[in-house]
Amino acid sequence: MSHSKHIETQAIHAGRINDEQFGSLATPLYQTSTFVFENAEQGARRFAGEEAGYIYSRLGNPTTRQLEQRVAAMEGMEDAAATATGMGAVSGALMTFLQAGDHLISSKAVYGCSFALMSHLLTKFGVEVTFVDMTEPENISAAIKPNTKMIFLETPINPNMVVLDLATIGNIAQQHKLISVVDNTFLTPVLQQPAKFGFDLIVHSATKYLNGHGDVVAGIICGNTEMINQIKMTVLKDIGATMSPHDAWLILRGIKTLPIRMERHCANAQKVAEFLEQHNKIANVYYPGLKSHSGYKFIGTQMQAAGGVIAFEIKGNIEDGAAFINRMQLFSIAVSLGDAESLIQHPASMTHSPYSPEERLEAGISDGLIRISVGLENADDLIDDLSQSLAQI
Ligand SMILES: Cc1ncc(COP(=O)(O)O)c(C=O)c1O
């Protein structure tokens, strides 16, 4: 499938394998751990890379392959590697290209477990990490050292919805020949394609919007063929964080509706954010679709729209916040995002608890911050739910 097709078409057709045997319209699910060789010589040729073909599902699977080709096409990248979870994607991208003695520069505020991976696990293996505030891109330039190898960021940032400037940061990475990695989970290729700004690797928690139905944990890494092969043949093969074919099959089903789901997530979130912004019990709303947000200027250039996640602070103390969350009826109290169901959570005690209180403060993640993932319900019903709980503060 050509990369030039529109994304709505790619979401349905890219990477599609024709089932020549039975003509199945839906993607066949190759729920198999291994693949039978015709003879010993064929097995040897496949292992030696002399003959194309599948060997064992940890190394590759036709259903999973279809998903990889679809997401790569949607991101405008050559190839992709599917992973067991989003963290499998983040760790696969980082661990393949970093070794002891290398220096990594990361945005200060990132998803809690990405922070834990970089600040606790990678440092154990001798990788040096500097966390910087990337809203001032000169902080990145100032942190670059002779052994700097890679930069890592996400935008909008989970959980505070700060938007980072991909064009400027991509330029800095290219000038200094750094491997640039961006986590595109929050916007998906439907709303933002970091490859256009020169980023080398794009990672996703496919658990979120790509699948969209809250029934899978999965991840994916997109990049050029060489880098993706390197990831597959080293970290993914030997650590084993590969995606199950059944999960790939579910995501292939979910991704067909990604463009129309994103449209509704954005429209609903815009209405909800505007409601929250004018409410007298709300102290701050962080949503790039609001004119008051520092990221609003990137809409229409870097990102097509603001996505479905909103962060806000209510007026009141931590207990008021917990009581507010507990009173919600339509919003489920759950971590994750990008599902049909609206979700609400408290980053400081949940998704971002791997940060110490001091580190959270440094990263601009306040203790009172509440994060919602606006689902696909009717926006007025969601607003009614928020309204009843806010009225009781
Ligand atoms: C931005 C971002 N990246 C990565 C992850 C990790 O993904 P997973 O939970 O699928 O491992 C998450 C999970 O919340 C996330 O929000």
Side-chain angles (χ1 to χ4, degrees):
M1 175 63 52
S2 132
H3 284 193
S4 60
K5 288 271 189 291
H6 292 94
I7 202 151
E8 296 81 359
T9 309
Q10 289 175 328
I12 295 167
H13 292 282
R16 187 152 178 244
I17 310 167
N18 286 328
D19 172 21
E20 283 168 13
Q21 197 175 1
F22 299 114
S24 168
L25 172 70
T27 307
L29 168 54
Y30 292 92
Q31 185 73 26
T32 182
S33 49
T34 198
F35 297 84
V36 179
F37 307 130
E38 280 169 14
N39 49 43
E41 292 75 15
Q42 186 185 49
R45 284 196 304 277
R46 293 220 179 142
F47 268 90
E50 293 162 5
E51 179 188 299
Y54 291 97
I55 297 175
Y56 183 68
S57 279
R58 175 160 45 77
L59 311 178
N61 173 286
T63 308
T64 309
R65 185 69 193 133
Q66 188 164 331
L67 176 69
E68 290 172 343
Q69 291 182 325
R70 185 161 304 173
V71 178
M74 292 172 74
E75 281 290 7
M77 299 209 103
E78 284 176 9
D79 209 343
T83 57
T85 64
M87 284 317 300
V90 177
S91 59
L94 270 51
M95 291 174 81
T96 301
F97 300 103
L98 292 171
Q99 61 184 38
D102 286 343
H103 177 231
L104 162 69
I105 300 175
S106 169
S107 161
K108 252 184 195 171
V110 286
Y111 168 59
C113 292
S114 297
F115 176 76
L117 168 75
M118 292 185 275
S119 61
H120 306 147
L121 191 62
L122 289 182
T123 51
K124 210 172 95 175
F125 293 99
V127 174
E128 211 187 321
V129 187
T130 306
F131 292 95
V132 304
D133 174 0
M134 291 193 180
T135 54
E136 304 291 341
E138 49 274 30
N139 291 341
I140 304 173
S141 308
I144 294 172
K145 305 198 284 187
N147 60 338
T148 307
K149 184 84 182 283
M150 183 185 271
I151 62 171
F152 178 85
L153 64 134
E154 53 191 44
T155 176
I157 292 175
N158 182 2
N160 59 17
M161 297 307 287
V162 168
V163 176
L164 298 175
D165 180 345
L166 288 180
T168 306
I169 299 173
N171 261 335
I172 296 174
Q174 282 182 335
Q175 270 167 22
H176 295 270
K177 298 193 164 39
L178 307 178
I179 298 173
S180 50
V181 188
V182 61
D183 184 330
N184 202 25
T185 299
F186 269 40
L187 293 185
T188 84
V190 172
L191 301 179
Q192 174 170 279
Q193 294 168 319
K196 290 183 178 158
F197 305 98
F199 280 80
D200 297 310
L201 293 171
I202 300 168
V203 295
H204 282 276
S205 169
T207 313
K208 311 291 162 29
Y209 294 105
L210 295 186
N211 179 55
H213 294 74
D215 45 16
V216 155
V217 282
I220 197 154
I221 313 167
C222 301
N224 68 31
T225 308
E226 197 186 326
M227 292 178 98
I228 293 299
N229 282 341
Q230 216 177 326
I231 292 168
K232 285 187 175 175
M233 284 304 131
T234 57
V235 173
L236 281 190
K237 172 170 83 63
D238 296 338
I239 290 185
T242 42
M243 187 187 286
S244 122
H246 186 246
D247 289 348
W249 185 83
L250 284 168
I251 300 166
L252 277 164
R253 186 163 78 151
I255 214 167
K256 291 181 191 181
T257 56
L258 179 67
I260 53 175
R261 284 189 282 109
M262 292 315 290
E263 224 175 277
R264 173 63 80 88
H265 280 297
C266 292
N268 277 0
Q270 186 70 34
K271 276 192 180 175
V272 169
E274 284 170 10
F275 160 78
L276 291 171
E277 192 175 41
Q278 54 72 44
H279 200 286
N280 63 6
K281 300 278 177 61
I282 296 285
N284 294 296
V285 185
Y286 309 99
Y287 182 66
L290 295 174
K291 289 200 178 72
S292 56
H293 191 276
S294 61
Y296 184 76
K297 60 179 178 286
F298 293 104
I299 293 191
T301 53
Q302 168 172 315
M303 54 208 267
Q304 295 306 307
V309 179
I310 304 171
F312 57 93
E313 283 142 356
I314 61 165
K315 289 179 183 161
N317 56 29
I318 292 277
E319 289 74 36
D320 293 325
F324 163 75
I325 290 176
N326 288 339
R327 282 191 299 267
M328 298 304 294
Q329 291 166 5
L330 260 182
F331 282 79
S332 300
I333 307 171
V335 296
S336 204
L337 54 105
D339 295 332
E341 294 83 357
S342 291
L343 306 177
I344 186 163
Q345 68 111 4
H346 176 233
S349 64
M350 298 178 190
T351 52
H352 289 71
S353 56
Y355 281 82
S356 70
E358 299 72 35
E359 287 166 340
R360 259 197 316 273
L361 201 68
E362 257 288 284
I365 303 164
S366 75
D367 280 352
L369 200 71
I370 292 169
R371 191 192 78 186
I372 57 176
S373 167
V374 179
L376 301 177
E377 302 93 337
N378 184 294
D380 293 337
D381 293 337
L382 298 174
I383 289 170
D384 283 349
D385 193 21
L386 289 159
S387 184
Q388 63 77 21
S389 187
L390 285 169
Q392 296 179 63
I393 294 173

